[in-house]
Amino acid sequence: MNLQISRSEAAKEILTRRTIRRSLTEWARLCGFEPAKHHQLLIDALEAVERGDLQNLAVFMPPGSAKSTYSSVLFTAWLMQRQVANVLAASHTTELAEKWGRRVRNLIAEHRLILGIDLAADSQAAGRWSLTNGAEYYAAGVGTGIAGFRAKFGLIDDPIRSRQDADSELIRDRIWDWYINDFRTRLVPNARKVLIQTRWHEDDLAGRALNHEPWHVVSLPAIAEENDALGRKVGEPLWSDGDYGYGQQIIDLQKNTPARTWSALYQQRPAPEDGDYFKKEWLKPYDIVPARNTLRIYGASDYAVTADGGDYTVHGVVGMDPQGNLYLLDLWRKQASSDEWVEAFCDMVLRWKPMEWAEEQGQIKSGVGPFLDRRQRERRAYVVRTPFPTRGDKAVRAQSMRGYMAQHGLYVPEHQPWFASLRAELLSFPAGKHDDQVDMLGLIGQLMDKIMSGIKPSPIERPKVDRWNRAFDKAFSDEDSPNWKTA
């Protein structure tokens, strides 16, 4: 057998190996993976961790997005040929951690010539193995002891096993104690950490870690929202730039996934199971809107004066039925310039034809008022706009709506794409990051004294028919009747 190759072939092989050893993207392709757009964003961050440009990286992506494949498997194998450094990898159970360890070990064994590293013959267990250059890999379950091992790179992938664990304060405390007292103490000075997970709870490991020290965060929701890190349009699904079919699966899952689960696991925006100010049982789901002619319809807006100020403009429409039940019919929320939200306001007025619209007096006087008036006239989007002065703090302004919801509830369309965000904000209030939807509902509450119950439909009146007409109709409408005569 002739094993000789030409100089050009040898040079090409050397160049290929060098490219793979330098590029995590090329290494992924060698292993049979073609990075999608969100994978490339993740790869850039992981390469920055390897270079030392990032010390702490948090990766939040929805289930099934291949974040573990790229972070825990491909990156780890590629990392260990870049640096002679120990790696500590943890997951919610030792079995899962060893699964990742086995895949990393097998990749290195398969591509040892290209990577320029090899497994040590006397240390190849799935959970703990070493390389011939002295670097070691140790897989540990969250909560297990990690004595006798020191690492330069620490990876935690999926630290929470289930919703039940995430909702248990005792288990969350145990995970945090393990992170502080076991995991971090096993890292050398200036070690780098990568935390990979879907968000489960505001107080999960990620929530506590982000409040404990600085982290670079790569957070990608399943359905794009404002200011998306990938530049997606609002409403665009993740991983629609390939043939895998993940994007369509996400769209289908959104239709029948509970709001809390969708907001946390898929949108990376966890909300508490219950709120301090608003309670989850006050939100009553509905599928079919009551007949339009039975509702008294009203609206409210919380305006953001500037598009880039970090606040959202929110328009909301509610309807009250004859029994005094309040339905949230429509909602528009966006970080937008005034010309865009003015058009959205007119659209909603034309669609729903509300009786009255509540707004804050101070915001509309800041310069947008005349423009809004003009566009209403031009588009014939007429509605009585009632301004309310800004008074007290936000919790005080929302008190009227809170009191109504405590007594009657608020009927909400839980399958609307905006419902998860609304629910998260209500249950997080007043400690949440945003409160613009609460402000809109608070304005509805201030309008409550004017809101009238809906209109009961009139009973259908049957035409009056006297006895003679009924007898006549019976006699001359039945061919079998003896009274029926033919010409």
Side-chain angles (χ1 to χ4, degrees):
M1 181 182 295
N2 185 7
L3 298 179
Q4 292 184 349
I5 60 174
S6 66
R7 286 189 175 183
S8 61
E9 290 174 328
K12 184 178 179 180
E13 178 64 21
I14 292 172
L15 180 61
T16 298
R17 293 185 182 185
R18 287 178 178 174
T19 301
I20 290 170
R21 293 176 188 180
R22 287 195 302 264
S23 169
L24 181 52
T25 299
E26 295 306 318
W27 164 241
R29 287 173 176 152
L30 176 71
C31 296
F33 299 92
E34 181 57 41
K37 194 174 181 180
H38 70 288
H39 298 141
Q40 195 59 60
L41 180 68
L42 175 57
I43 284 173
D44 293 343
L46 291 169
E47 288 183 337
V49 170
E50 186 277 325
R51 292 193 305 269
D53 297 340
L54 294 178
Q55 186 169 2
N56 297 323
L57 171 64
V59 179
F60 308 140
M61 295 185 189
S65 55
K67 58 187 179 298
S68 294
T69 296
Y70 278 85
S71 302
S72 290
V73 181
L74 296 173
F75 170 66
T76 305
W78 179 81
L79 168 69
M80 295 187 79
Q81 60 85 27
R82 295 282 296 172
Q83 298 197 30
V84 181
N86 290 353
V87 174
L88 173 59
S91 293
H92 59 71
T93 59
T94 301
E95 290 77 13
L96 182 59
E98 289 182 350
K99 171 188 173 182
W100 303 133
R102 186 178 297 108
R103 290 182 63 183
V104 176
R105 182 199 63 190
N106 292 347
L107 276 181
I108 291 175
E110 180 182 357
H111 300 289
R112 62 185 185 279
L113 295 178
I114 291 176
L115 295 176
I117 55 176
D118 200 359
L119 297 168
D122 59 347
S123 179
Q124 296 189 17
R128 189 164 184 175
W129 43 265
S130 59
L131 302 178
T132 54
N133 62 14
E136 291 186 73
Y137 179 99
Y138 186 11
V142 169
T144 61
I146 319 171
F149 188 82
R150 301 277 281 175
K152 183 178 179 180
F153 292 90
L155 285 83
I156 301 178
D157 190 344
D158 258 349
I160 298 174
R161 181 172 49 185
S162 65
R163 165 60 66 194
Q164 184 177 9
D165 285 357
D167 287 343
S168 168
E169 185 176 1
L170 176 63
I171 293 178
R172 295 198 307 270
D173 288 343
R174 286 177 178 173
I175 293 174
W176 180 248
D177 288 342
W178 170 85
Y179 172 77
I180 293 294
N181 299 314
D182 289 275
F183 182 82
R184 286 206 323 170
T185 60
R186 295 294 91 202
L187 302 179
V188 301
N190 299 315
R192 297 154 213 175
K193 301 190 290 293
V194 179
L195 173 60
I196 310 127
Q197 67 167 90
T198 54
R199 294 302 307 273
W200 286 88
H201 195 283
E202 287 186 319
D203 190 43
D204 59 15
L205 177 59
R208 296 192 186 190
L210 293 180
N211 289 323
H212 190 72
E213 56 188 332
W215 290 77
H216 177 81
V217 178
V218 174
S219 181
L220 296 177
I223 299 295
E225 299 175 339
E226 293 289 336
N227 302 318
D228 183 66
L230 296 174
R232 293 176 293 168
K233 297 179 181 178
V234 173
E236 184 179 345
L238 189 66
W239 207 349
S240 57
D241 53 337
D243 299 328
Y244 184 50
Y246 185 81
Q248 185 57 50
Q249 182 189 41
I250 284 295
I251 293 174
D252 295 339
L253 283 170
Q254 186 182 14
K255 299 174 184 176
N256 52 27
T257 300
R260 185 192 180 205
T261 300
W262 178 261
S263 181
L265 266 67
Y266 288 90
Q267 295 300 97
Q268 312 312 310
R269 191 177 55 250
E273 176 58 20
D274 203 354
D276 294 327
Y277 194 87
F278 295 98
K279 303 296 182 182
K280 68 174 183 178
E281 59 267 22
W282 299 351
L283 300 175
K284 300 183 177 183
Y286 75 85
D287 292 319
I288 301 175
V289 182
R292 185 80 164 265
N293 61 352
T294 66
L295 296 176
R296 303 273 192 182
I297 297 176
Y298 300 84
S301 292
D302 179 58
Y303 306 122
V305 179
T306 58
D308 56 355
D311 294 327
Y312 289 82
T313 290
V314 178
H315 305 309
V317 175
V318 299
M320 184 167 281
D321 71 6
Q323 289 73 42
N325 298 316
L326 195 64
Y327 289 79
L328 183 59
L329 302 174
D330 203 356
L331 188 144
W332 185 93
R333 177 178 183 259
K334 192 173 183 181
Q335 289 176 317
S337 58
S338 57
D339 59 335
E340 185 174 358
W341 64 249
V342 164
E343 297 305 318
F345 167 83
C346 293
D347 290 341
M348 295 182 80
V349 169
L350 291 170
R351 178 183 179 189
W352 293 102
K353 297 179 173 53
M355 299 181 65
E356 197 165 347
W357 201 279
E359 62 188 18
E360 277 194 13
Q361 193 173 40
Q363 289 175 312
I364 204 64
K365 282 187 175 181
S366 61
V368 187
F371 174 59
L372 178 56
D373 293 339
R374 178 167 60 84
R375 287 301 293 151
Q376 281 190 264
R377 290 193 300 269
E378 291 171 349
R379 296 189 59 185
R380 298 181 181 274
Y382 299 123
V383 66
V384 175
R385 294 194 349 247
T386 303
F388 290 92
T390 302
R391 64 176 189 270
D393 61 20
K394 293 177 181 292
V396 172
R397 296 199 297 272
Q399 185 59 35
S400 180
M401 176 55 73
R402 179 179 184 239
Y404 173 86
M405 290 174 62
Q407 295 232 341
H408 305 280
L410 176 66
Y411 287 83
V412 290
E414 62 178 0
H415 296 301
Q416 286 289 339
W418 44 261
F419 173 66
S421 171
L422 172 71
R423 180 187 185 278
E425 185 175 308
L426 288 174
L427 298 187
S428 299
F429 185 79
K433 182 178 180 181
H434 296 290
D435 50 27
D436 35 83
Q437 295 170 99
V438 173
D439 287 343
M440 181 275 295
L441 288 175
L443 286 163
I444 293 288
Q446 293 186 66
L447 199 64
M448 195 63 72
D449 290 341
K450 299 183 178 183
I451 292 179
M452 296 183 290
S453 295
I455 308 165
K456 291 183 178 180
S458 301
I460 300 175
E461 293 187 6
R462 294 184 178 181
K464 295 180 180 180
V465 181
D466 57 38
R467 293 182 179 178
W468 190 90
N469 284 337
R470 286 199 299 270
F472 183 87
D473 290 343
K474 182 178 181 181
F476 290 96
S477 63
D478 187 354
E479 293 184 5
D480 295 329
S481 171
N483 297 321
W484 181 259
K485 296 180 180 181
T486 58

